[in-house]
Every structure is written in C-alpha cells, then in structure tokens.
Amino acid sequence: MRTCVPLLVAMLCGLAWADLYSAPNSCHGRCWEAFDRHHPCHCNARCQEFGNCCEDFESLCGHEGFSHSSDAITKEELRSVSEKIYRADTNKAQKEDIILNSQNRISPSETRDQVDRCPEPLFTYVNEKLFSKPTYAAFINLLNNYQRATGRGEHFTAQQLAEQDTFLREAMKTAVMKELYGFLHQQNRYSSEQEFVNDLKNMWFGLYSRGSEEGDSSGFEHVFSGEVKKGKVTGFHNWIRFYMQEKEGLVDYYSHIYDGPWDSYPDVLAMQFNWDGYYKEVGSAFIGSSPEFEFALYSLCFIARPGKVCPLSLGGHPLTIQTYTWDKSTYGNGKKYIATAYVVSST
C-alpha cells in the first residue's frame, strides 16, 4: 500500500478521508488497511501470516462485498458499470444550470484552521427548475425529516414514511437505477426488482444507533442530510442540501482543497464550511448530479465493497468512493452492516 500525507490521500492515492466509526478490535471498515502497531489486532494482507488478525477478519475481509470470491464484482466491472451509470444520468445539471464560485483553494494542512477564506457563497446561481423533476422533488421532501443532532431518536410520521417510498419509486423509474439493478441482477445479487428496492429501503432508511439514543441515525440522514456529533459536522455530502442551506443563510462556505477534473456536471468538490455554528473540516461531494446518480453509485459501492475503497470511472476519469460500516444495526440480521459515511474523491 502506498504511503501518503494523511489529508492528501483522497486525491493522490484514491483513498478517502472521513470519520471512521469502527472499534479498534474489529475489522469493520479496516479491511486491508496498512499495518498500525497501535492497534490490538490487524486487518492487513499479512495478518494471517503473523497470526494477529482480528477475530472477524475472515468474515469481513475474506471476500469482496456480500458474496464469496467466486462471484465477486471485479474492479473492471465496477469501472464499466459506473461509466454506464454516468452516461445514463440524463437528469443531471447542465453547464448553464449552475454557476459555482469556488474562490480560494487552501492546502490540506490548513483545513483545521476554521478560517473563512471565501467571502462569497459557493453557489452564485442554480436553476431551480431542476428541483421540479420527480426524483429531485421526492429527494428534497426527505431532507426535513431528520434531527441533525445524534443521540436524539428519529420517529417518522406516516407521511414521512410514504415520502421514503415515493423517492425509491421515482428513483427506480430512472435509467440510472435501471442500469444499476440490471447489473446487480446479472451479478446474481438480487432475483427481482422488488427484492432490490426492499434492500435499498433497509440499507438507507433503516435506523441505527450512532449516539446514546436507539434509532437516532440512518444512512440517508448521515450521507445526504448531515448530522452533528460532538460539536462537529459528520456526513453532509450532497450539493442540493448544501445549496438550500446556503440559500437560507445556514451554511457558510469557507474554502476548498480540491476541484475535480470534470469540465461538466457532475463534478467533485472537497470543501470546508460552517453549518449553523458547526464546522466541517473536509466535506467532499458531487456537484450537479441527480439524486438518483449519487444514490446509485453509493449503493453500488456499499453492496460491492462494504467498508472498502471502491474504484469507479466517470467520463474517463478515475474516482473512488469509500464506504464505512456500522455494527449497531439490525440491517440484514447481522449479515450486512448499514453504510454510515460516504466520501467521494478523485484519484
């Protein structure tokens, strides 16, 4: 494994930065990491040779995704299907739909400074006609269904539960999600579209414990809406959420450390910002993508590479997505673990 400056790994080595929620005596989210003598047990490629693997190494790291190596999804297949998903995203923003004002770029060593180096908002203009598209509208309806503070249990009304179903239904109508399902069906991961949808609902909207309160978080809340834990922003990787909160004066864009190589949308930006009094040191996100595009890529990577780096390709440019798993969940009856944090980064 290559060695990199910690805050440059996402851009230079295809690894990603994020809050890692995993116990030091477990391989959850640690499969194939570099050896670290400070850990009581290990999950690297040679731990079996030295007899110091964590007890769950074989069950979590002995195969790719949720299947054995005999039918594992290969890197080449991941790159191929991600290109197909990229081309299928007809609902994405066009160049004229968004005007970004990225302003000052800082070095990775400055991300902890919490200094606002950008006096203007990140978004100069967004064509809000995008938000009337069915998946956008359904997605936006979900964003106000959560309490951002961890440790406070989530309780959904009948209407809010219906909104989850509406989003999944609208998403599955799109070419993006049909492409994803077709690929996973071909890979023998799902026997029917309904089985796939049911799994997505559990994966994204199933509640788990991130704080002291049972059922205080979900994959959707963390990734798309954002949370605050111990005075810091966690998750919050969605450009639509960012734009809407910035428009309301609740998000203050501070700077960025990386802007992706794409000359059209979706692009990738790694940025620093303040969310209503709470700081995000590095928050990477797609810019200009449709909700179903992000939903599809993140789901693909969690299914194929849970807790690992997931190599993709978009428009000829390599990209990695890192998923993290969380063991305080009943998702999959212990066979799977809910995704808690997604970070996108260009390689």
Side-chain angles (χ1 to χ4, degrees):
M1 181 174 289
R2 291 168 287 178
T3 302
C4 309
V5 178
L7 284 174
L8 283 176
V9 289
M11 291 171 284
L12 299 183
C13 291
L15 300 180
W17 58 81
D19 299 320
L20 179 58
Y21 299 100
S22 60
N25 60 352
S26 168
C27 284
H28 293 158
R30 294 175 53 204
C31 290
W32 314 117
E33 69 178 7
F35 174 79
D36 185 337
R37 62 183 177 87
H38 298 292
H39 287 151
C41 63
H42 305 280
C43 310
N44 58 74
R46 301 185 67 188
C47 71
Q48 290 178 310
E49 177 184 345
F50 289 97
N52 55 13
C53 298
C54 297
E55 290 185 3
D56 56 7
F57 172 79
E58 185 61 31
S59 63
L60 293 181
C61 307
H63 54 80
E64 297 286 7
F66 299 131
S67 67
H68 296 286
S69 58
S70 60
D71 66 344
I73 297 173
T74 66
K75 292 180 181 179
E76 291 73 23
E77 288 169 332
L78 284 171
R79 292 182 178 120
S80 175
V81 71
S82 58
E83 285 286 2
K84 292 178 181 178
I85 290 171
Y86 177 78
R87 292 193 293 271
D89 189 16
T90 56
N91 281 334
K92 68 181 180 180
Q94 302 302 309
K95 281 188 175 182
E96 63 272 16
D97 289 327
I98 299 175
I99 299 175
L100 276 187
N101 186 13
S102 57
Q103 301 167 77
N104 289 323
R105 178 172 179 169
I106 64 173
S107 67
S109 63
E110 297 174 292
T111 59
R112 296 183 181 181
D113 293 350
Q114 301 192 35
V115 176
D116 185 356
R117 295 179 172 88
C118 298
E120 301 296 326
L122 173 62
F123 289 95
T124 299
Y125 169 76
V126 171
N127 179 7
E128 294 192 9
K129 289 182 179 179
L130 287 170
F131 300 161
S132 64
K133 294 185 176 184
T135 53
Y136 284 80
F139 175 83
I140 291 169
N141 282 341
L142 293 170
L143 294 176
N144 63 355
N145 291 351
Y146 300 96
Q147 305 178 79
R148 70 176 183 178
T150 59
R152 299 174 62 186
E154 300 291 351
H155 303 282
F156 300 121
T157 65
Q159 178 180 341
Q160 290 171 336
L161 291 172
E163 288 171 354
Q164 296 173 5
D165 292 331
T166 297
F167 173 72
L168 290 170
R169 184 171 61 252
E170 293 299 335
M172 289 305 301
K173 293 178 183 178
T174 66
V176 162
M177 292 299 291
K178 289 185 182 300
E179 190 71 55
L180 175 61
Y181 170 69
F183 171 75
L184 294 173
H185 178 67
Q186 185 180 36
Q187 292 287 331
N188 298 316
R189 299 307 174 97
Y190 300 96
S191 60
S192 69
E193 185 172 306
Q194 189 58 54
E195 180 188 1
F196 178 50
V197 172
N198 291 343
D199 198 35
L200 288 174
K201 185 169 183 178
N202 288 330
M203 185 188 305
W204 284 100
F205 298 108
L207 295 174
Y208 58 91
S209 174
R210 185 181 287 277
S212 58
E213 181 79 15
E214 289 296 323
D216 67 335
S217 187
S218 69
F220 187 93
E221 176 183 6
H222 180 83
V223 175
F224 294 111
S225 183
E227 297 178 293
V228 172
K229 182 177 182 180
K230 296 181 179 179
K232 295 182 179 180
V233 177
T234 66
F236 202 137
H237 299 293
N238 179 256
W239 75 270
I240 300 170
R241 174 68 161 166
F242 191 102
Y243 166 73
M244 296 178 72
Q245 291 286 283
E246 186 178 64
K247 184 179 178 181
E248 292 184 28
L250 298 175
V251 163
D252 186 359
Y253 170 66
Y254 276 19
S255 55
H256 72 282
I257 62 169
Y258 175 75
D259 190 354
W262 295 270
D263 57 7
S264 62
Y265 298 117
D267 199 355
V268 174
L269 193 68
M271 53 195 165
Q272 293 67 51
F273 58 91
N274 184 295
W275 183 25
D276 196 22
Y278 299 95
Y279 184 62
K280 180 73 173 181
E281 187 173 322
V282 180
S284 52
F286 286 111
I287 305 292
S289 56
S290 70
E292 62 266 27
F293 175 82
E294 294 179 62
F295 197 70
L297 288 190
Y298 296 157
S299 299
L300 169 66
C301 284
F302 185 62
I303 292 166
R305 296 291 190 275
K308 302 178 183 179
V309 171
C310 178
L312 306 177
S313 179
L314 303 179
H317 297 287
L319 181 93
T320 60
I321 291 177
Q322 170 78 56
T323 66
Y324 295 112
T325 57
W326 187 245
D327 58 2
K328 295 181 180 179
S329 168
T330 57
Y331 170 52
N333 294 321
K335 297 177 182 179
K336 304 178 185 179
Y337 298 89
I338 195 74
T340 63
Y342 293 90
V343 180
V344 292
S345 60
S346 176
T347 55

